[in-house]
Amino acid sequence: MTENSNIPSPPRRQFLALGGSLVAASLLPDSGQAAPLPRRFPQNFLWGAATAGHQVEGNNVSSDSWLLENIRPTLFEEPSGDACNHYQLFSQDIAMLADLGLNTFRFSVEWARVEPEDGLFSIAELDHYRAVLDACQRHGVHSMVTFNHFTVPRWFAGRGGWEHPDAPLVFGRYCEKVARALGDRMTMATTLNEPNLTQLLFGIPGLNGSRLGTPLDHEIIRKAGQMTGTGQFSSWIFGDFEHIHKGLIEAHKKGFEAIKSILPKLPTGVSIAMTDDQAVSPAAIPMRDRKRKLAYEPWFSVANSHADFLGVQAYSRSRIGPAGMLPPEPGMPLTDMGYEFYPEALEAVIRYTHDHIKRPIYVTENGVATTDDSRRVEYIRRAVGGVARCLQEGIDVRGYIHWSLLDNFEWLDGYRPHFGLVSVNRTTFERHIKPSATYLGTLAKANAI
Ligand code: BGC
């Protein structure tokens, strides 16, 4: 199962053969009338849950984020600390995922662990991730490995992060090491997680810009630079957005080339952040298109030249007015992140992406922050229903990977938002399976909705 086989074959024929005749009935909205018939998914469809190293492992002390979380004042609500202690509990977490009925585990290798100093690669940490991949194999679970999920080594941030002219080469070197050591055990790989985030959040005027950019924010980043010993600090969304984005595009290309040079058959792609961008009036269309041009189009062309597939990650929609992003309409249901509860975004994003790329699509993240798990069930039901409609039309979607397996460290917001299918006691690290996990597992086992 974990051989480096080619990406699972296109779904359309299988989908139609298995479920096409049932589709019309099941597309009916839930009206409380006839129970909808199941819509089958293609054989080999990936059903999974995702994590990211820094958000679940704990004690990622050599990373840029650890530094930023622990200086005072800080931009973070609280430090990541032990997180979910997944670093030690990965084996039971993967067993749990498999028991639920899911067949894919998306996780990231933490660059800061593997290369804690510039050019110094840790054999022991590579061995750790080999054990994670072995656990996937043992439990019959496909692995989708993200080579970089936001966090970078502290030394890398201290030399200017993605803005440094050598950053793509340095990232390529890291990718080569990891691919050489572990690639033969991976099912699929992605280079970067959401490298377009700066453009998505800050590309056009609007709400999100208010979160960063105050004099205090600058002061914190300046202090972080002092602590790296270089006076510099740039990473993730902390730095010059344009330069960061350019650096990430080149870094992806170098990473992709490095991985493919060692494992030509390993399906390798990149995951981008997307929202369903809705212009509120004809006058807003140019602003919507400006956002698309900045945030997605560069990655569509990268995907067509330097990727075997594209990962799409969508959580909600954006309302766009002629002058920029607008808040959700009053009265619309919100998630605990403050944005709209809108599972239909996923379908719209897949359709839009399909019109622009010639590669298979995987949903590598989709989920909702809520402490009311029945809303998560509802969210999954509507989002996966959208995937089924895309498949019915022959769109080549090959997997649905939910964010997230565990309630984890949600970056600046700390542990407040709950995205997990499984909750975690932050003192004992005990896991508790929520009904939404069972629900997603049931869909996976049936390979149908
Ligand atoms: C990121 C995750 C994050 C999730 C929920 C995605 O943008 O890849 O790291 O936790 O969204 O906000």
Side-chain angles (χ1 to χ4, degrees):
M1 167 175 260
T2 46
E3 277 171 18
N4 295 330
S5 53
N6 289 326
I7 311 180
S9 55
R12 184 159 199 264
R13 246 191 18 231
Q14 293 157 341
F15 182 75
L16 293 178
L18 288 166
S21 58
L22 305 178
V23 166
S26 58
L27 282 176
L28 292 171
D30 269 358
S31 57
Q33 299 165 4
L37 292 167
R39 285 168 282 171
R40 293 204 177 280
F41 279 61
Q43 227 183 352
N44 299 330
F45 191 81
L46 301 187
W47 294 93
T51 58
H54 189 78
Q55 294 178 268
V56 293
E57 288 175 347
N59 301 301
N60 188 19
V61 298
S62 302
S63 67
D64 61 328
S65 192
W66 187 270
L67 171 65
L68 281 183
E69 291 159 27
N70 290 289
I71 57 176
R72 294 290 175 267
T74 173
L75 296 160
F76 288 73
E77 290 294 323
E78 57 187 319
S80 52
D82 286 317
C84 306
N85 197 20
H86 173 77
Y87 188 82
Q88 291 183 332
L89 301 180
F90 67 87
S91 188
Q92 76 168 57
D93 286 340
I94 293 166
M96 176 177 67
L97 177 143
D99 284 349
L100 286 169
L102 302 178
N103 62 25
T104 304
F105 181 44
R106 175 174 180 249
F107 69 94
S108 72
V109 170
E110 261 308 314
W111 185 2
R113 291 189 195 276
V114 168
E115 191 180 358
E117 297 294 340
D118 189 354
L120 180 88
F121 288 88
S122 164
I123 297 164
E125 295 291 356
L126 287 167
D127 284 349
H128 168 80
Y129 290 108
R130 185 172 299 113
V132 176
L133 287 160
D134 287 347
C136 290
Q137 284 198 350
R138 241 189 351 269
H139 293 285
V141 164
H142 290 294
S143 52
M144 183 182 279
V145 181
T146 314
F147 278 56
N148 176 255
H149 194 120
F150 294 155
T151 40
V152 296
R154 180 175 163 154
W155 59 263
F156 182 81
R159 70 199 283 289
W162 302 110
E163 298 184 55
H164 191 286
D166 281 351
L169 285 176
V170 173
F171 181 64
R173 177 182 71 181
Y174 155 75
C175 288
E176 189 188 323
K177 287 275 181 202
V178 175
R180 205 178 281 287
L182 310 174
D184 61 337
R185 287 168 160 77
M186 297 176 189
T187 311
M188 307 183 76
T190 57
T191 53
L192 300 165
N193 179 71
E194 301 190 342
N196 63 332
L197 193 63
T198 52
Q199 308 304 303
L200 183 92
L201 294 181
F202 311 115
I204 61 170
L207 307 165
N208 297 308
S210 58
R211 180 78 195 245
L212 291 168
T214 66
L216 180 62
D217 299 339
H218 291 303
E219 178 55 24
I220 291 170
I221 299 301
R222 198 190 57 77
K223 196 166 162 196
Q226 279 174 355
M227 290 174 73
T228 65
T230 63
Q232 289 187 73
F233 190 95
S234 172
S235 72
W236 194 30
I237 49 174
F238 310 114
D240 181 289
F241 300 149
E242 277 297 311
H243 286 129
I244 290 175
H245 191 224
K246 285 205 178 94
L248 283 164
I249 290 175
E250 291 315 309
H252 162 75
K253 290 181 180 168
K254 289 283 179 242
F256 176 77
E257 282 160 6
I259 296 167
K260 296 300 274 190
S261 72
I262 292 159
L263 297 149
K265 286 197 182 145
L266 178 66
T268 303
V270 60
S271 293
I272 63 168
M274 304 183 80
T275 56
D276 172 12
D277 298 306
Q278 301 185 355
V280 296
S281 65
I285 290 175
M287 184 57 81
R288 181 203 64 188
D289 291 348
R290 190 169 132 198
K291 181 180 177 194
R292 289 177 162 179
K293 198 173 166 52
L294 286 168
Y296 315 129
E297 288 177 16
W299 291 97
F300 292 155
S301 84
V302 163
N304 285 329
S305 64
H306 285 75
D308 300 317
F309 65 90
L310 184 68
V312 298
Q313 314 202 147
Y315 289 83
S316 188
R317 66 173 158 189
S318 296
R319 291 174 67 236
I320 299 176
M325 292 211 258
L326 300 171
E329 259 185 295
M332 296 313 274
L334 303 181
T335 72
D336 289 353
M337 296 297 280
Y339 47 67
E340 195 179 333
F341 180 96
Y342 189 70
E344 286 68 27
L346 183 61
E347 179 178 352
V349 155
I350 293 171
R351 287 176 187 281
Y352 166 67
T353 303
H354 171 70
D355 289 342
H356 290 85
I357 64 163
K358 302 185 206 74
R359 294 284 185 271
I361 296 170
Y362 286 82
V363 177
T364 47
E365 280 185 29
N366 171 252
V368 60
T370 178
T371 48
D372 174 356
D373 194 56
S374 65
R375 297 188 85 208
R376 190 175 344 272
V377 172
E378 170 73 2
Y379 188 95
I380 293 172
R381 189 180 68 74
R382 285 164 52 184
V384 173
V387 175
R389 284 189 288 276
C390 292
L391 284 165
Q392 184 206 357
E393 286 174 30
I395 298 179
D396 192 0
V397 192
R398 301 199 186 177
Y400 175 83
I401 302 179
H402 191 78
W403 183 270
S404 176
L405 179 64
L406 304 172
D407 281 342
N408 61 31
F409 179 68
E410 180 51 34
W411 306 113
L412 301 181
D413 292 317
Y415 290 95
R416 182 190 53 80
H418 289 184
F419 276 95
L421 297 165
V422 172
S423 66
V424 177
N425 179 311
R426 302 255 0 278
T427 313
T428 63
F429 306 120
E430 220 174 312
R431 275 59 171 150
H432 174 74
I433 292 170
K434 302 181 194 176
S436 55
T438 310
Y439 174 66
L440 182 60
T442 306
L443 300 185
K445 282 187 264 193
N447 200 30
I449 186 165

